[in-house]
Amino acid sequence: MPELDSAILSRLLTSLTLGFHIIFATLGVGVPLLISGAEWIGIRRKDDHYRLLARRWTRGFVVTVAVGVVTGTCIGLQLSLLWPSFMEVAGQVIGLPLFLETFAFFFEAIFLGIYLYTWDRFKNPYFHWLISVPVVIGSTLSAFFISTVNAFMNAPKGFKLENGKIIEIQPLIAMFNPATPTKATHVISSAYLTSAFVLAAITAFMILKKGNNEYYKKALHFTMVSGFVFAISTAIIGDFSGKYLAEYQPEKLAAAEWHFETEEGADLIVGGILDENGEVKYALRMPNFLSILAHGNPNAEVIGLEEFPAEETAPLFIHYLFDLMVGIGMFLVALSAQYLWSYKRKKGNPYSKYLLMLIVASGPLAMLAIEFGWIFSEVGRQPWILWHVMETTDGATTSEHVGSMFLLFFGLYVVLGWICTAVLLKMFRGNPAETEFEEMDQR
Amino acid sequence: MEIQLIGITVLWIFLYGYLIVASIDFGAGFFAYYGKITKQDHIINSIISRYLSPVWEVTNVFFVFFFVGLVGFFPSTAYYYGTALLVPGSIALVLLAIRGSFYAFGNYGVKESNVYTFLYGATGLLIPASLSTALTISEGGFISEEEGTVVFLVKELFTSFYSWSVVFLAIVSVLYISAMFLCFYADKAKDWPALEIVRKFALFWSPPTILASFLVFLALRAHNLEHFNNMLDYSYMFILSFICFNIAVWLVYRNKRYGTAFIFVMLQFFFAFFGYGVSHLPYILYPYITLETGFTNETMGIALVIAFIAGLFLLIPSLILLMRMFLFDANYVQGNREK
């Protein structure tokens, strides 16, 4: 197969590793915040339910962290192994945030170790809670730093290219490039959001299976309130991201929206399919909404794909990914709002079967939205590895062994994913919350 | 001091740190498995897991830190090493991934699995062997540049006496460092039966370690005479290393002061590792990358050094806290504390 050259295979292997890693990375960024929150409420209200919640989440979290750490190590090294020419160039400009990310990771790793093994060591329970704070800071900061690296690839700034040589480097400008604010906040907020819904989904599943008791009710309420807050913030930041795209990467937005002709008062296309003549069929057209998304003004002009050379635009299938991501995001806002409304209303039933089943679905859906969002963002900047500076094919390795390495890592991730799931299931089935709570009561 | 020299020193210190903490981890994995098949696991495995559980993730970060720092300070290493090391690097990564995650599965998830312990033990010896290829390659002769592409000469590597002597040194010194550390830890835990076992390991692995070191000297002389001659200029470093080795082994043999003995083990490797490193200069990857040609631009170099110093202010107190809680807290080490 001639088309499977090193560059294509390198892209496949990188997406495989990242696609697997971000499941665990997302939980790694979001779950510590929820654990810390639950423990804090538990201490403040002297409520052992919340403290048990923090403990049980932590126990499962460690297993996912392990997979996150090792797959993160993989992607970290694969950057140099698969993209040596890219790293040689980019390393000179974005070495700083990459380096800082490992500091944040180091910080988190140290305190996570301490947190895990000091549950009953201190007389004052706030001391143990305090140790969770650096874990939250470390995980969020590492998400921030690594997002700035990705933002740089979308908006390379802070250097000049002269005859293939990089000059006049300004590390901070490269790090705080125009894409950084929206990218980093969207990544962090959606990681919090997804973690909240994943934990809510597990709780809802347990309520459906075992009926609701105090412990599960508190867990559901805590995760759904957090989920609501982060769903709103993610949606707002998502809107800013759209405006960023319109300004800095108009061809990415145009490809995502199947917006071919430059026009004022552009319609937003939702769903639909593209037939072989390039006609959009079966789509829902929302008048002037694309102009609102892009510029906050229903009559603003939105640049269409026709303005760009065809070989410099992304594949048009990213439209589906964009719609799925936004669709799931909207669903999560509506679902958590519905829960809160049922909870507040005297006659409402926040534990109705249909609502719980939707919550169970929301966890995997949120994770899917993360994947869709990443694929959209990454494929959307093709053919560039460095936006308008370096093409992806020029950054890849020339080694002939990428294909077999792909199979090797594919096997690894299958094994890791499978055993990780089995271990988590065994861990919680063998030791249900009810028995653990009784044991706590007896002490 | 020149910024390049600061950069490489920083990286070398981190690689040294990784050498010590990872050796403890890798060797402990092997001993844990060995203990299991010889039915001594009830004696030694509790002290091993009591030390490893809180720190295994930190150990891993030392490694990440080193290679991210290397690419940051010397971006051209990404180009040469990246292309050449795709296969050995990927294999090392898969081994590291299996090891790290299975440790967590075994220790935080389900208890007692023979398969996990076996994988943990076996990878503990394979990883140092595969990682040491990166150091071997830095001596030159295993990479060639043809028509603008970097080619890794696998056959050369597998048939080289030098590369096998480095692999041998890597494996035996991992077992030696780890056993010496476990002596200290068992002594601290007042766990005399465990101490008796790990003390035997330490004494057993000390002669091969020093033998392997001499072997590497000889092999390097045949492989890269220029580097070998440079090493002779720093011979006092290696003599100091040998003296520290003798003090450490003598202390363990006399069955006293295990803490001091382990400090001498660290000094032994410190002198040998820095002697090796300083005589390797100015080459990072012989003969393609030197300190001058491989270094990142001035601005980024300064930014990285500033970030590094700022980071140390955060890291050092945290590491001290970690050590005080799990290495020097007698109650924890003796297992009197609940998790």
Side-chain angles (χ1 to χ4, degrees), chain A residues 62-63 65-67 69-70 73-74 76-78 80-82 84-85 87-88 91-96 98-100 102-103 105-107 109-114 117-122 169 171 397-399 401-402 405 408-409 412 415-416 419-420 423 426-427, chain B residues 14 53-54 56-58 60-65 67-69 71 75-76 78-79 82-83 85-87 90 93-94 96-98 100-102 104-105 108-110 116 149 296-297 299-300 303-304 307-308 311-312 314-315 318-319 321-322 325-326 329 332 337 339:
Chain A
V62 184
V63 173
V65 162
V67 183
V69 167
V70 297
T73 309
C74 287
L77 208 55
Q78 274 178 358
S80 298
L81 294 175
L82 296 172
S85 313
M87 282 307 278
E88 195 186 12
Q92 296 183 47
V93 195
I94 46 162
L96 183 67
L98 275 174
F99 197 57
L100 287 173
T102 58
F103 264 117
F105 177 33
F106 218 141
F107 195 55
I110 289 172
F111 282 95
L112 185 64
I114 298 177
Y117 283 84
T118 52
W119 279 99
D120 296 316
R121 217 190 249 202
F122 308 107
I169 292 166
T397 180
T398 45
S399 170
H401 304 288
V402 189
M405 293 304 111
L408 180 72
F409 279 99
L412 173 73
V415 171
L416 285 187
I419 297 183
C420 178
V423 164
K426 195 172 170 191
M427 195 160 144
Chain B
F14 266 89
S53 295
W56 77 267
E57 215 192 332
V58 178
N60 194 65
V61 188
F62 267 93
F63 176 59
V64 178
F65 208 101
F67 73 69
V68 172
V71 173
S76 50
Y79 178 68
T83 314
L85 286 178
L86 177 66
V87 177
S90 297
L93 274 180
V94 169
L96 274 171
I98 291 176
S101 47
F102 279 54
F105 295 160
Y108 309 126
V110 280
Y116 294 174
T149 26
T296 186
N297 56 87
T299 331
M300 183 51 82
L304 286 176
F308 176 75
L312 280 188
L314 209 64
L315 275 192
S318 321
L319 278 172
L321 182 67
L322 185 79
M325 283 182 152
F326 301 110
D329 183 304
Y332 174 80
R337 281 191 197 282
K339 281 182 198 174

Side-chain angles (χ1 to χ4, degrees), chain B residues 173-236:
Chain B
S173 52
V174 155
L175 294 170
Y176 165 75
I177 294 174
S178 185
M180 289 298 242
F181 174 80
L182 290 175
C183 285
F184 158 70
Y185 207 69
D187 181 55
K188 188 102 194 161
K190 298 198 169 60
D191 188 343
W192 312 127
L195 177 63
E196 206 36 55
I197 296 174
V198 290
R199 188 171 159 260
K200 277 189 197 132
F201 292 159
L203 293 174
F204 180 82
W205 289 108
S206 55
T209 303
I210 213 71
L211 184 79
S213 314
F214 284 118
L215 211 61
V216 168
F217 270 104
L218 283 179
L220 187 66
R221 191 175 167 193
H223 186 81
N224 185 340
L225 191 63
E226 190 183 340
H227 186 189
F228 180 78
N229 286 334
N230 282 341
M231 273 168 109
L232 291 184
D233 295 342
Y234 294 95
S235 50
Y236 67 93

Side-chain angles (χ1 to χ4, degrees), chain A residues 115-182:
Chain A
Y115 185 76
L116 289 176
Y117 283 84
T118 52
W119 279 99
D120 296 316
R121 217 190 249 202
F122 308 107
K123 281 205 181 81
N124 183 345
Y126 280 106
F127 279 150
H128 183 258
W129 172 77
L130 264 181
I131 293 167
S132 75
V133 176
V135 179
V136 174
I137 294 175
S139 59
T140 302
L141 273 183
S142 60
F144 171 77
F145 287 127
I146 209 66
S147 303
T148 68
V149 173
N150 185 271
F152 172 81
M153 293 161 84
N154 279 284
K157 287 274 146 56
F159 69 100
K160 272 195 185 135
L161 206 58
E162 236 177 55
N163 306 327
K165 283 203 75 173
I166 293 183
I167 51 163
E168 291 180 38
I169 292 166
Q170 297 164 292
L172 288 176
I173 304 240
M175 199 167 135
F176 293 96
N177 57 71
T180 293
T182 45

